Amino acid sequence: MDAPSLHHAALPYRAMARNNAWANHRLLTACEGLSQAEFVAPRTGFFPSLRATLNHILVIDRFYVDAMEGGTLGPAAWADPEPCATVAALKAAQAAVDARLIAIAEALDAAGLARIVAVHRGSRVQHERMDRLLLHLFQHDIHHRGQAHAMLSGTRVAPPQLDEFYAAEEAPLRAAEFSALGWTERTVWDRSDTLPE
């Protein structure tokens, strides 16, 4: 497989890692409009509040990202299921783990996607291909963000649109958010593509 093919094999995973970070940023920015009481209020979902749901995304991200980095954090990742008490703390912590996930994805090539990752689960060590583990993590986060989105719908804060990817003609609509994240359209897509900055 030539170098361009190796690069393109990882491109969807890189784009998904950034889409994941963008969606987290968009959702947590909306949650900044909530009072602390609204953030912790009981709501219907798999987890009983926005704080619990969004913290779950964070701790599971930390669990899998650590494994992808070669760590052995394991179940200690969720020893405290709600490590962030406020939206501000959660937004900063989520941005940090999102940056780690993006760095993992950016370093991937075809061989890296096939690498076997050891996932320490306490009583056993699971061995899984990197590409499958990444897809699992993206699916997990999408699922729970959807629950948080529904919870937010029951507040005075309008939930943000999260059901989109990166349609080329909609680049101006996300420009401010990309700027806040320090990205351009070219950051997300192949650097050899003729995309606008």
Side-chain angles (χ1 to χ4, degrees), residues 28 31 34-43 47-59 80-87 89-90 148 151:
L28 289 165
C31 287
L34 298 170
S35 68
Q36 183 66 10
E38 289 169 320
F39 186 50
V40 303
R43 301 188 189 280
F47 294 94
S49 68
L50 275 160
R51 183 172 71 180
T53 302
L54 295 168
N55 268 281
H56 175 72
I57 294 171
L58 172 69
V59 299
D80 179 356
E82 294 186 29
C84 296
T86 65
V87 175
L90 187 55
M151 290 179 180

Side-chain angles (χ1 to χ4, degrees), residues 91-166:
K91 189 176 182 184
Q94 187 64 59
V97 75
D98 287 345
R100 291 166 60 195
L101 182 57
I102 289 168
I104 290 167
E106 288 289 330
L108 289 174
D109 57 15
L113 288 168
R115 179 172 68 85
I116 302 300
V117 178
V119 183
H120 292 257
R121 294 191 172 276
S123 61
R124 67 185 179 93
V125 177
Q126 173 188 353
H127 295 91
E128 195 67 72
R129 283 175 54 114
M130 174 68 85
D131 52 3
R132 294 185 181 185
L133 208 57
L134 282 166
L135 292 172
H136 170 74
L137 184 55
F138 296 145
Q139 179 64 26
H140 173 270
D141 287 2
I142 290 166
H143 171 69
H144 287 293
R145 275 195 303 267
Q147 294 174 332
H149 189 276
M151 290 179 180
L152 198 57
S153 297
T155 75
R156 60 189 171 77
V157 174
Q161 185 174 357
L162 299 178
D163 63 340
E164 60 185 64
F165 201 62
Y166 300 117

Side-chain angles (χ1 to χ4, degrees), residues 6 10 48 122 162 174 187:
L6 287 172
L162 299 178
R174 58 182 173 261
T187 306

